[in-house]
Amino acid sequence: MRGPTGGQVSDSSRQQAMSDFLRPQAPLANVVGFGHGVKWSDGRPTGEEAVLVFVTQKVPESMLPERDVIPRQMDDGTPTDVIAVGHVSAQRQPRQQPRRASEQDTQYRSDGSVAEQLSQLSRPLLEELREMGTLEPQLLRRRLRPAPAGISVGNVRVTAGTLGSVVYDFLPGATTDPPGPGLGVPGKFYILSNNHVLADSNRAQLGSPIVQPGVFDGGQDPADRIATLDRFITIQFAPQIPPAQHNNVVDAALGKVEFEDATRQQYFSGAPRAWRRRANVAVGDLVKKTGRTTNISFGRIIAVDATIDVNYGTAGTARFKDQILTTNISAGGDSGSLVTSLDNVAVGLLFAGSSVVTVANHIENVRALLRVEIAEQLA
């Protein structure tokens, strides 16, 4: 099911999509984003490049006002395809256990549509996983030192998310732009996760404690403190800032950690061996992640440059650009998981999703904005 290698919405199509689908005044009904992918027919990918329009749910054209009907193609001739993605939200552990799926949630999986196909693609793809036996639901919610990637973590102000990886500052002697591996020994080490996991969606103070496991999983400060909040990329939220003015590309933060307290090893998978440049991430690529809630899971990339609105609860709604969308590989509490290729090359940082899709930042953007190294070598 590999689609176009790399690829992105053309500038003209992007401008049209922003003005027509996500216009500041009266956006189209149910539309939450768009991106580049392949067109689907009868529930299967055709391989034909298309602008994917993401909606919370599909509604028959006959029931929509004419102004809310998505055109069959963009002005430059690129076809469109409407994909029901449900309600996309940031995925730290809810304060209450998630409700049972409603009939509306279930229909995304059972109506023979694109969503059903996407859901099936997110099932485990490697036969050797069967040798691992049944994974314990609590396996990644316990205290571990050194803490591996994929395990429960969080600021003391939040419930719980996932530790994505151990990273370190760009080193002196780097020559690439952004700087690549340099010379010498790293002076500081950090745990990498989401802003909404380590910094409480901009609200936590620098230096505030981070515990492992997260508070929801029994972590307490100071007994379980593993790190302190060092820095984060601020998220712009609506209604404080209109979505059309948002420049969000990552939901990412760092906690300073002692070298002996955490490890780059991903639970089940080993350490990331490289990171992948954005231009080399392609529709159809197989990916995996290890996360606090759903353990290890596998899926496919369905869009590589998505613009999508994400619900952060009381913090507001944030519009993110240049995002990776995959089939559903996550649930609440998996936020912060490192998304990799099947051979452990870092691809993205998971931060949001729904019952149908998962959303991740390009790891190249995370690396450049936080100015950290994710691995010793480049992909």
Side-chain angles (χ1 to χ4, degrees):
M1 197 204 90
R2 190 176 178 85
T5 56
Q8 59 184 351
V9 177
S10 68
D11 289 341
S12 60
S13 290
R14 178 174 294 280
Q15 292 174 3
Q16 182 187 352
M18 288 295 291
S19 62
D20 290 357
F21 306 153
L22 295 173
R23 51 186 174 235
Q25 303 299 325
L28 268 63
N30 298 322
V31 173
V32 294
F34 65 90
H36 172 263
V38 296
K39 192 172 180 63
W40 292 66
S41 178
D42 297 323
R44 298 184 180 280
T46 66
E48 179 184 9
E49 296 193 30
V51 173
L52 305 182
V53 184
F54 307 120
V55 298
T56 54
Q57 60 181 327
K58 284 190 175 182
V59 177
E61 284 190 17
S62 60
M63 297 178 62
L64 288 171
E66 184 176 351
R67 62 171 297 280
D68 286 335
V69 175
I70 294 167
R72 303 284 181 179
Q73 62 181 31
M74 309 300 287
D75 288 346
D76 64 1
T78 306
T80 63
D81 205 11
V82 179
I83 306 293
V85 298
H87 297 276
V88 178
S89 60
Q91 287 192 314
R92 76 182 183 200
Q93 172 63 39
R95 295 198 176 273
Q96 295 181 341
Q97 293 293 347
R99 61 178 173 79
R100 295 182 63 182
S102 67
E103 291 183 4
Q104 186 181 58
D105 291 331
T106 303
Q107 77 177 5
Y108 295 133
R109 298 187 180 90
S110 61
D111 61 3
S113 65
V114 172
E116 181 182 356
Q117 300 293 323
L118 298 184
S119 178
Q120 290 182 15
L121 283 171
S122 69
R123 295 174 182 173
L125 299 171
L126 299 181
E127 288 295 324
E128 55 263 33
L129 276 178
R130 294 179 181 175
E131 299 176 4
M132 297 169 61
T134 302
L135 302 178
E136 301 176 38
Q138 305 298 322
L139 190 63
L140 301 182
R141 305 179 192 183
R142 52 184 172 150
R143 188 185 194 276
L144 278 179
R145 295 292 186 278
I151 205 160
S152 171
V153 76
N155 191 285
V156 290
R157 294 172 51 99
V158 308
T159 51
T162 296
L163 193 163
S165 185
V166 172
V167 298
Y168 53 91
D169 292 317
F170 287 150
L171 295 175
T175 57
T176 58
D177 184 21
L183 305 174
V185 177
K188 294 181 181 179
F189 291 89
Y190 310 93
I191 56 172
L192 169 67
S193 188
N194 295 141
N195 174 323
H196 75 270
V197 172
L198 300 186
D200 192 25
S201 303
N202 305 337
R203 293 174 290 207
Q205 293 186 345
L206 296 182
S208 60
I210 295 164
V211 294
Q212 192 291 306
V215 171
F216 191 87
D217 299 321
Q220 297 181 351
D221 185 59
D224 299 307
R225 184 184 300 189
I226 189 172
T228 54
L229 180 62
D230 187 88
R231 59 186 185 266
F232 58 88
I233 305 302
T234 301
I235 301 172
Q236 297 173 312
F237 290 106
Q240 298 93 331
I241 301 173
Q245 298 177 22
H246 289 185
N247 291 307
N248 300 313
V249 291
V250 301
D251 178 341
L254 300 176
K256 186 176 181 299
V257 65
E258 295 301 321
F259 177 78
E260 65 271 16
D261 284 338
T263 171
R264 295 172 60 252
Q265 296 293 317
Q266 302 170 86
Y267 213 102
F268 306 122
S269 296
R273 62 182 185 84
W275 59 272
R276 182 157 293 166
R277 294 188 181 278
R278 185 206 175 289
N280 295 326
V281 180
V283 173
D285 283 352
L286 298 175
V287 292
K288 64 178 178 177
K289 77 96 189 61
T290 298
R292 170 255 180 211
T293 304
T294 59
N295 294 309
I296 190 167
S297 52
F298 298 78
R300 286 187 189 268
I301 293 176
I302 60 175
V304 296
D305 66 340
T307 295
I308 194 160
D309 292 341
V310 178
N311 181 358
Y312 279 77
T314 58
T317 297
R319 177 167 297 170
F320 282 80
K321 303 173 183 177
D322 196 24
Q323 301 301 299
I324 300 169
L325 257 67
T326 75
T327 55
N328 182 19
I329 58 173
S330 61
D334 286 331
S335 276
S337 302
L338 190 68
V339 179
T340 73
S341 62
L342 299 190
D343 58 351
N344 290 341
V345 176
V347 173
L349 186 67
L350 189 158
F351 79 104
S354 69
S355 61
V356 180
V357 296
T358 290
V359 190
N361 312 140
H362 282 278
I363 199 64
E364 183 174 40
N365 291 339
V366 173
R367 177 179 176 271
L369 289 172
L370 287 175
R371 299 188 63 77
V372 292
E373 293 294 358
I374 191 69
E376 279 76 18
Q377 67 187 78
L378 298 181

